[in-house]
Amino acid sequence: MTTQSGLTPSNLTDTSRIEAFSDGVFAIAITLLVLELHIPELEPGERLWPALLHEWPQFAAYLTSFAIIGIMWVNHHSMFRQIRRADRGLMFLNLGLLLWTALLPFPTSLFAEYLQDDSFDAHVAAAVYSTNLTLAAIAFSSIWWYVLRNHLVDHDLNRSQVRRSVLRYSVGTVLYAAAIGLSFISAPLTLLVQFLLAVYYGFEQLRTRS
Amino acid sequence: MTTQSGLTPSNLTDTSRIEAFSDGVFAIAITLLVLELHIPELEPGERLWPALLHEWPQFAAYLTSFAIIGIMWVNHHSMFRQIRRADRGLMFLNLGLLLWTALLPFPTSLFAEYLQDDSFDAHVAAAVYSTNLTLAAIAFSSIWWYVLRNHLVDHDLNRSQVRRSVLRYSVGTVLYAAAIGLSFISAPLTLLVQFLLAVYYGFEQLRTRS
Amino acid sequence: MTTQSGLTPSNLTDTSRIEAFSDGVFAIAITLLVLELHIPELEPGERLWPALLHEWPQFAAYLTSFAIIGIMWVNHHSMFRQIRRADRGLMFLNLGLLLWTALLPFPTSLFAEYLQDDSFDAHVAAAVYSTNLTLAAIAFSSIWWYVLRNHLVDHDLNRSQVRRSVLRYSVGTVLYAAAIGLSFISAPLTLLVQFLLAVYYGFEQLRTRS
Amino acid sequence: MTTQSGLTPSNLTDTSRIEAFSDGVFAIAITLLVLELHIPELEPGERLWPALLHEWPQFAAYLTSFAIIGIMWVNHHSMFRQIRRADRGLMFLNLGLLLWTALLPFPTSLFAEYLQDDSFDAHVAAAVYSTNLTLAAIAFSSIWWYVLRNHLVDHDLNRSQVRRSVLRYSVGTVLYAAAIGLSFISAPLTLLVQFLLAVYYGFEQLRTRS
């Protein structure tokens, strides 16, 4: 399995340094979200408390993206507990997932700024946010498909388990893609649905495991 | 104890990756605080040194939040040394604690900007800061309550130890809640009390252990 | 090999803490790139979608730098799997590599801002970006040269393997230096070539290992 | 040695999580320095290249602070290789060192902005920068003094080794304090001396070990 041509003793490694690097990116991205929160600039006569309340979209977007990155980390954790070997293909697919994770603070900030805009721009911002999450879901699916196909999992799963796991990732991707469509109906509703999807994925995983 | 239905061999894991992720968030949040410090913009004829001194609220808020996150990290460390197993419930409660930790640079910056404001806004900023810390204290308590209730600790504690530990977290939560009230009396005093609370928690833990 | 004079039991250590520190810097630099992305400020009557499209240089520069830092991390990972011992010289050469990695968000932002500038400034920005990457390539080469020369690798490589590995790093450095020249012909072409170089280095390494 | 009263089995732990947390703060602080670099805003008719050259103070300050934090990390690494046990006192002293490390991007930015100022403000900025580094040197000394006094080192050092190690830290602290004085003579010279001190400490350690 491991050919030793070239400099490297093996093209397969354990996953510990991938996990450490990924944990780093997840931890930094989730913490950088706070930099997108801005202190309100008060106009003369304006009070701080109503000005903060008026900024609820940025707090709602912050909370939603925090929940999403947090649950992505939990799920990344769960997935990699089942992966025992890594090759460069897995490293690159994982970099793809990290790309969409590290990028998330940008559409979060965009979404927050345009959430209450009464023009078509609110729909565009919601769609950009949902597209980012759809691409992250596709990246998750592609990692799982790759590790199954290249026998990098810890133990061979039976066909029913493989089918269920692939189905779960596919459904997730479809739900996120549907949220792109929803963006053109209502931006605030899209944010709420994204938050509920994150919570659901947290609990749904809990349920299938117990 | 570990049912093996579904993809995952077990719904219980060791806590090492939770601790690594938490350490990452604590380390990033404590280091990001510096980004809230701004170089004074001098008006014509103004000198740098008095302008820096005039900005003492942002340095005081920086120091206080640094001490708070630092001591939260120490206490998180102490708590997780006693936790040997993690499940998804613990992961989500821990994410709750990380939410309030990662958010802290925002109320820190808000508090620093309004500390010397002579309107009611100073009290609002102090109350937002204290509320953030109260929510962090509640998150700490809920983690401890959860690990006790689900027998995730290393060894069974006797009833007296459980009572003392729960009491300690409850008192902390009450003290932080009291600081919300204090915010409406004096904003600078609230900052001082928050700093002293952090120092006290550092030493208090030292004392009960020796 | 290890003299024990002075306080330190040995001037050679294992590489785990260097790798952890380097992983941290790579993870932070790759995630900080998002802070260089700015939400477009719309002029009256302007729409969000075309304004975002108009900002394609910053997304292209983001993607290119993300790919470059990601592949640098993969290659750093591969290189250090072959290094078993570290001394302070290796630590300082590694700090040199981290310097050019941590600095990359600055020329990325500069390149994005001037990519479509129709003056000579676009060439300057492209050359600054390419120079940064050339210096990173030189840093990579110097680490490899140092570990070969000081027998810090895991096992002695035969002369053909050493020649091939040194050749590979030299070719990379020459390619990056050539991109500095290309910067003065076309800035957008330089960005494209940098992206293709990153992809090529990803696949090229894959090929030589299989 | 380890009393087991209270909840905690022991008030002594291994140093691995302190080192991981410290590595995180060092890695983040060294990488955040790049956020203090600003793209020059060109005035009409101004060219990018001379504008970048004109900004040399911010690049010089960046390079100096990068070297300082990098060498602090190397020395922290060396020191903790000799420390085998940690208690809460060590954790708090280490937090003190991390405070001055995490704060460094602020005086770096301040120093860069005022380096070429021809008023007294340049001296103030240089003195603030040097004071920060002096406080970091004191924090380093206090950690070493504490671990010697509380027998937390790996093995008992002989008196000559203790004397030499304490002397080395004391000399470092005095040199940094002297740089505060130098700040009031020449700000650019202070920056140069700080860079040379960092390089010297790198090589000096190398020499005493070989």
Side-chain angles (χ1 to χ4, degrees):
Chain A
M1 176 158 291
T2 64
T3 60
Q4 304 211 349
S5 69
L7 285 170
T8 319
S10 160
N11 63 346
L12 289 175
T13 57
D14 74 299
T15 62
S16 61
R17 209 175 154 191
I18 297 185
E19 289 180 70
F21 184 71
S22 304
D23 280 2
V25 172
F26 282 118
I28 299 154
I30 210 171
T31 316
L32 281 186
L33 287 169
V34 76
L35 298 181
E36 308 293 346
L37 297 179
H38 300 295
I39 294 178
E41 294 178 20
L42 303 187
E43 288 166 35
E46 201 182 5
R47 296 268 55 86
L48 181 57
W49 183 241
L52 282 171
L53 290 184
H54 185 70
E55 280 190 344
W56 70 266
Q58 71 173 355
F59 299 110
Y62 174 84
L63 184 64
T64 302
S65 290
F66 194 99
I68 289 170
I69 298 180
I71 276 141
M72 283 174 72
W73 172 73
V74 172
N75 287 336
H76 191 267
H77 191 173
S78 295
M79 185 189 268
F80 272 79
R81 277 175 61 208
Q82 301 181 262
I83 304 176
R84 276 295 169 275
R85 294 178 306 244
D87 59 13
R88 284 173 81 96
L90 178 59
M91 278 188 196
F92 285 106
L93 289 174
N94 191 58
L95 273 177
L97 176 62
L98 296 181
L99 172 67
W100 303 116
T101 308
L103 186 57
L104 197 60
F106 176 74
T108 301
S109 183
L110 190 77
F111 201 0
E113 187 158 327
Y114 284 93
L115 187 64
Q116 291 187 294
D117 194 289
D118 53 6
S119 77
F120 192 69
D121 292 349
H123 301 304
V124 169
V128 168
Y129 188 81
S130 299
T131 302
N132 189 323
L133 294 177
T134 305
L135 291 166
I138 291 173
F140 250 120
S141 300
S142 66
I143 291 174
W144 188 241
W145 167 85
Y146 183 86
V147 297
L148 285 179
R149 193 163 172 281
N150 292 274
H151 307 288
L152 301 175
V153 288
D154 196 12
H155 46 79
D156 276 16
L157 304 165
N158 66 44
R159 297 183 61 175
S160 143
Q161 289 174 317
V162 168
R163 211 181 310 120
R164 277 174 53 198
S165 69
V166 170
L167 183 67
R168 183 189 298 161
Y169 284 114
S170 306
V171 168
T173 306
V174 168
L175 286 174
Y176 281 109
I180 302 177
L182 183 61
S183 303
F184 292 100
I185 297 168
S186 165
L189 189 59
T190 304
L191 187 62
L192 180 65
V193 165
Q194 293 290 9
F195 181 75
L196 294 177
L197 269 178
V199 172
Y200 171 76
Y201 270 100
F203 281 101
E204 187 264 350
Q205 301 271 348
L206 271 174
R207 199 151 34 81
T208 58
R209 297 249 162 88
S210 61
Chain B
M1 175 160 291
T2 65
T3 60
Q4 303 212 351
S5 68
L7 283 170
T8 318
S10 160
N11 63 344
L12 288 175
T13 58
D14 74 299
T15 61
S16 61
R17 209 175 155 190
I18 296 185
E19 290 181 69
F21 184 71
S22 304
D23 279 3
V25 172
F26 282 118
I28 299 154
I30 209 170
T31 316
L32 281 186
L33 288 169
V34 75
L35 298 182
E36 309 293 345
L37 297 180
H38 301 295
I39 294 178
E41 294 179 18
L42 303 188
E43 286 167 35
E46 201 182 7
R47 296 268 55 86
L48 180 57
W49 184 239
L52 282 171
L53 289 185
H54 185 71
E55 280 189 344
W56 70 265
Q58 71 173 355
F59 299 111
Y62 174 84
L63 184 64
T64 302
S65 290
F66 194 98
I68 288 169
I69 298 180
I71 277 142
M72 283 174 71
W73 171 73
V74 172
N75 287 336
H76 191 267
H77 191 173
S78 295
M79 184 189 268
F80 272 79
R81 278 175 61 208
Q82 301 181 260
I83 305 176
R84 278 294 170 273
R85 295 179 305 246
D87 59 12
R88 284 174 81 97
L90 178 59
M91 278 188 197
F92 285 106
L93 288 175
N94 192 57
L95 273 177
L97 176 62
L98 297 181
L99 172 66
W100 303 115
T101 307
L103 185 58
L104 196 60
F106 176 74
T108 301
S109 184
L110 189 77
F111 200 1
E113 188 158 327
Y114 284 93
L115 186 65
Q116 292 188 294
D117 195 290
D118 53 7
S119 76
F120 191 70
D121 292 350
H123 300 305
V124 169
V128 168
Y129 188 79
S130 299
T131 302
N132 189 322
L133 295 177
T134 305
L135 291 165
I138 291 173
F140 250 119
S141 300
S142 66
I143 292 174
W144 189 241
W145 167 85
Y146 183 87
V147 297
L148 284 179
R149 193 164 173 281
N150 292 274
H151 307 288
L152 301 175
V153 288
D154 197 11
H155 44 83
D156 276 16
L157 304 166
N158 64 46
R159 297 182 63 173
S160 143
Q161 288 173 317
V162 168
R163 211 180 311 120
R164 276 173 55 198
S165 68
V166 169
L167 183 68
R168 183 189 298 161
Y169 284 114
S170 305
V171 167
T173 305
V174 168
L175 286 174
Y176 281 109
I180 302 178
L182 183 61
S183 303
F184 292 99
I185 297 168
S186 165
L189 188 61
T190 303
L191 187 61
L192 179 65
V193 165
Q194 292 290 6
F195 181 75
L196 294 178
L197 270 178
V199 171
Y200 170 77
Y201 270 100
F203 280 101
E204 186 265 349
Q205 300 273 347
L206 271 173
R207 199 150 35 79
T208 58
R209 297 250 162 84
S210 61
Chain C
M1 175 160 292
T2 64
T3 60
Q4 304 210 352
S5 68
L7 285 170
T8 320
S10 159
N11 63 344
L12 289 174
T13 57
D14 74 300
T15 61
S16 61
R17 208 175 155 192
I18 296 185
E19 290 181 70
F21 183 72
S22 305
D23 280 3
V25 172
F26 282 119
I28 299 154
I30 210 171
T31 316
L32 282 186
L33 288 168
V34 75
L35 297 182
E36 308 293 346
L37 297 180
H38 300 294
I39 294 179
E41 294 178 19
L42 303 187
E43 287 166 34
E46 201 182 5
R47 296 269 53 85
L48 180 59
W49 184 239
L52 282 171
L53 289 184
H54 185 71
E55 280 191 343
W56 70 264
Q58 71 173 357
F59 299 110
Y62 174 85
L63 185 63
T64 302
S65 289
F66 193 98
I68 288 169
I69 298 180
I71 277 141
M72 283 173 72
W73 171 74
V74 172
N75 287 336
H76 191 268
H77 191 173
S78 295
M79 184 189 269
F80 271 78
R81 278 176 60 210
Q82 301 181 261
I83 304 175
R84 277 297 169 273
R85 295 178 306 244
D87 60 13
R88 284 173 80 98
L90 179 58
M91 277 188 196
F92 285 107
L93 289 174
N94 191 58
L95 273 178
L97 176 62
L98 296 181
L99 172 67
W100 303 116
T101 307
L103 186 57
L104 198 59
F106 176 75
T108 302
S109 183
L110 190 77
F111 201 0
E113 186 157 327
Y114 284 93
L115 186 65
Q116 291 187 294
D117 194 289
D118 53 7
S119 76
F120 191 70
D121 292 349
H123 301 305
V124 170
V128 167
Y129 188 81
S130 299
T131 302
N132 189 321
L133 295 177
T134 305
L135 291 166
I138 290 173
F140 250 120
S141 300
S142 66
I143 291 173
W144 187 240
W145 166 85
Y146 183 86
V147 297
L148 285 179
R149 194 163 172 280
N150 292 274
H151 307 287
L152 302 176
V153 288
D154 196 11
H155 46 81
D156 277 15
L157 304 166
N158 66 44
R159 297 183 61 175
S160 142
Q161 288 173 318
V162 168
R163 212 181 309 122
R164 277 174 55 198
S165 69
V166 170
L167 184 67
R168 184 189 295 161
Y169 284 114
S170 306
V171 168
T173 305
V174 168
L175 286 175
Y176 281 109
I180 301 177
L182 183 62
S183 303
F184 293 100
I185 298 169
S186 166
L189 189 60
T190 303
L191 187 61
L192 180 64
V193 165
Q194 292 290 8
F195 181 75
L196 294 178
L197 270 178
V199 172
Y200 169 77
Y201 269 99
F203 281 101
E204 187 266 350
Q205 301 272 348
L206 270 174
R207 198 150 35 79
T208 58
R209 297 251 162 84
S210 62
Chain D
M1 175 159 291
T2 64
T3 60
Q4 303 211 352
S5 67
L7 284 170
T8 319
S10 158
N11 62 346
L12 289 175
T13 58
D14 74 299
T15 62
S16 61
R17 209 175 155 191
I18 297 185
E19 290 181 68
F21 184 72
S22 305
D23 279 3
V25 172
F26 282 118
I28 299 153
I30 210 170
T31 316
L32 281 187
L33 287 169
V34 76
L35 298 182
E36 308 293 345
L37 297 179
H38 300 295
I39 294 179
E41 293 178 20
L42 303 187
E43 287 166 34
E46 201 183 5
R47 297 269 54 86
L48 180 58
W49 184 239
L52 282 171
L53 290 184
H54 185 70
E55 280 190 344
W56 71 265
Q58 71 173 355
F59 298 111
Y62 174 84
L63 184 64
T64 301
S65 289
F66 193 98
I68 288 169
I69 298 180
I71 277 141
M72 283 173 73
W73 172 74
V74 172
N75 288 336
H76 191 266
H77 190 173
S78 295
M79 184 190 269
F80 271 78
R81 278 175 61 209
Q82 301 181 261
I83 303 175
R84 276 296 169 273
R85 295 178 305 244
D87 60 13
R88 285 173 81 97
L90 179 58
M91 278 188 196
F92 285 107
L93 289 175
N94 191 58
L95 273 177
L97 176 63
L98 296 182
L99 171 67
W100 303 116
T101 308
L103 185 58
L104 197 59
F106 176 74
T108 301
S109 184
L110 189 77
F111 200 0
E113 188 158 326
Y114 284 93
L115 186 65
Q116 292 188 294
D117 195 289
D118 53 7
S119 77
F120 191 69
D121 292 349
H123 301 304
V124 169
V128 168
Y129 188 80
S130 299
T131 302
N132 189 321
L133 295 177
T134 305
L135 291 165
I138 291 173
F140 250 121
S141 299
S142 66
I143 292 174
W144 188 241
W145 167 85
Y146 183 87
V147 297
L148 285 179
R149 194 162 172 282
N150 292 275
H151 307 289
L152 302 176
V153 288
D154 196 11
H155 46 79
D156 277 16
L157 304 167
N158 65 46
R159 298 181 62 174
S160 143
Q161 288 174 319
V162 168
R163 210 181 311 120
R164 277 174 54 199
S165 68
V166 169
L167 183 67
R168 185 189 297 161
Y169 284 114
S170 305
V171 168
T173 304
V174 168
L175 285 174
Y176 280 110
I180 302 177
L182 183 61
S183 303
F184 292 99
I185 297 168
S186 166
L189 188 61
T190 303
L191 187 61
L192 180 63
V193 165
Q194 293 290 8
F195 181 76
L196 294 178
L197 269 179
V199 172
Y200 170 77
Y201 269 100
F203 280 102
E204 188 266 349
Q205 301 272 347
L206 270 174
R207 199 151 34 79
T208 58
R209 298 250 162 85
S210 61

